[in-house]
Structures are given as C-alpha cells and as structure tokens.
Amino acid sequence: MGLFKEFRQFALKGSAADMGIGLVLGAAFSGLIDSLVTDVILPPIGVLLAKMNFSNLFITLGGETHYDTLTKAQEAGVATINYGLFITSFIRFVIVLFVIFLVIRQLNRWKKPGQHPVDSMTKKECPYCRMSIPSKAIKCPNCSSDLDEVGEKRIKNTSSPRLRFKAK
C-alpha cells in the first residue's frame, strides 16, 4: 500500500504531468529543429560549398562502383558510412544544445535575486500541519506557525518569567 500512496503523491504533485508535458514538447521541438536544420540551415551551407547536398555525403564500403546518391547506393545494397547525415545530426544537436542554454539562461534571469536553485528545490515538513514547505521558511505558509531554522515552533513567551521553588 505504501507504493500506491507514494505514486499518488507523485502524480498529484504534478511531477508526472510535468514530465509528460516535457516529453510532448521535446518531441515537437525535435521536429521543429530537424526542419530548421534540414530545410533552412543546411541548404545555404551546401550552396556555399559548391552546391553540395549533405545527405549525399557518404563512403561506400567494399565496393568499387561509384554511386551518385545515397539512395542509389542503398538500393544496390552496398554498405555505406553516411558522414553527411552525421554532420546534419551534429548540427541539429548543437542547435538544440544552444536553445536549451538560452532557455535556462533566461529562467535564471527570472529567478528571484539571491535564490539558489538548490534552496528552491529543498523542502522540509512543517511539524504542525505536516505540509511541505521551503527549507529556509521561518513561517509556515499553510498553518501560519512560527518556525526557527530547524523547523521547530518558536515559543513566544509574553508573560513574565516564573520562579520555581523546591519544597523540602
């Protein structure tokens, strides 16, 4: 039963939904980047390099016959090293990496000043309402309990100090 309860908490906190949305967006982003590289970036580079088509850059293995295109070589059943397709994939990877860098850089700019990413991810449990709160919280946003640095309730002593006597 503990596994089901843990899974329910995982799903309700939005982690599963966030991962699902990330995967769908990643797949759509991959198609967009593939089109950007194949249809926009590589054709001008090919024109600059004497009208070269990157998809037709290959080396045939074990054959003396020359093939003009990769599709003709593959139709003939010849083993090939497709370094043109590798160059295309490498350019696509560099573009994705650069875009991810730009997104993370912008997210870091939007963060609150002085907020360390580890601090924002680290949570503790309020000892009174048992809700998850930021680790550096001094007041629980859920139950309004005053907390000290270790998460215990601060005792506010508004009355005067009491004297204790031992009777013999």
Side-chain angles (χ1 to χ4, degrees):
M1 194 64 177
L3 181 66
F4 178 71
K5 188 175 182 180
E6 186 177 344
F7 176 73
R8 191 181 90 207
Q9 287 178 343
F10 170 77
L12 291 179
K13 285 187 179 180
S15 299
D18 290 344
M19 282 193 313
I21 291 168
L23 287 172
V24 169
L25 287 176
F29 188 69
S30 175
L32 177 72
I33 294 298
D34 185 34
S35 176
L36 176 70
V37 170
T38 309
D39 302 331
V40 176
I41 294 176
L42 288 181
I45 293 173
V47 168
L48 291 175
L49 298 174
K51 299 187 185 211
M52 181 183 304
N53 185 358
F54 278 89
S55 63
N56 287 327
L57 296 177
F58 64 96
I59 299 171
T60 57
L61 300 174
E64 299 296 326
T65 310
H66 174 72
Y67 299 96
D68 292 330
T69 64
L70 179 61
T71 54
K72 289 181 183 177
Q74 289 175 340
E75 287 173 359
V78 177
T80 59
I81 296 176
N82 307 325
Y83 67 92
L85 296 177
F86 175 76
I87 291 171
T88 303
S89 296
F90 181 76
I91 291 172
R92 184 180 313 122
F93 171 75
V94 169
I95 290 172
V96 169
L97 191 64
F98 183 69
V99 169
I100 289 172
F101 164 74
L102 292 177
V103 168
I104 291 174
R105 185 174 176 232
Q106 187 61 41
L107 288 175
N108 286 338
R109 286 184 179 174
W110 288 342
K111 272 191 337 188
K112 295 177 183 173
Q115 180 183 8
H116 194 272
V118 173
D119 293 340
S120 65
M121 292 184 296
T122 307
K123 301 283 184 183
K124 66 181 176 182
E125 188 176 89
C126 174
Y128 297 98
C129 67
R130 300 293 182 210
M131 295 296 291
S132 180
I133 58 175
S135 63
K136 294 198 175 195
I138 57 171
K139 189 171 197 86
C140 177
N142 303 307
C143 68
S144 300
S145 298
D146 290 327
L147 309 168
D148 64 7
E149 283 74 28
V150 294
E152 298 300 322
K153 186 169 184 173
R154 286 187 197 154
I155 299 173
K156 292 185 178 178
N157 193 357
T158 56
S159 63
S160 61
R162 295 184 183 180
L163 297 174
R164 295 188 183 191
F165 297 102
K166 287 187 180 181
K168 288 188 180 182

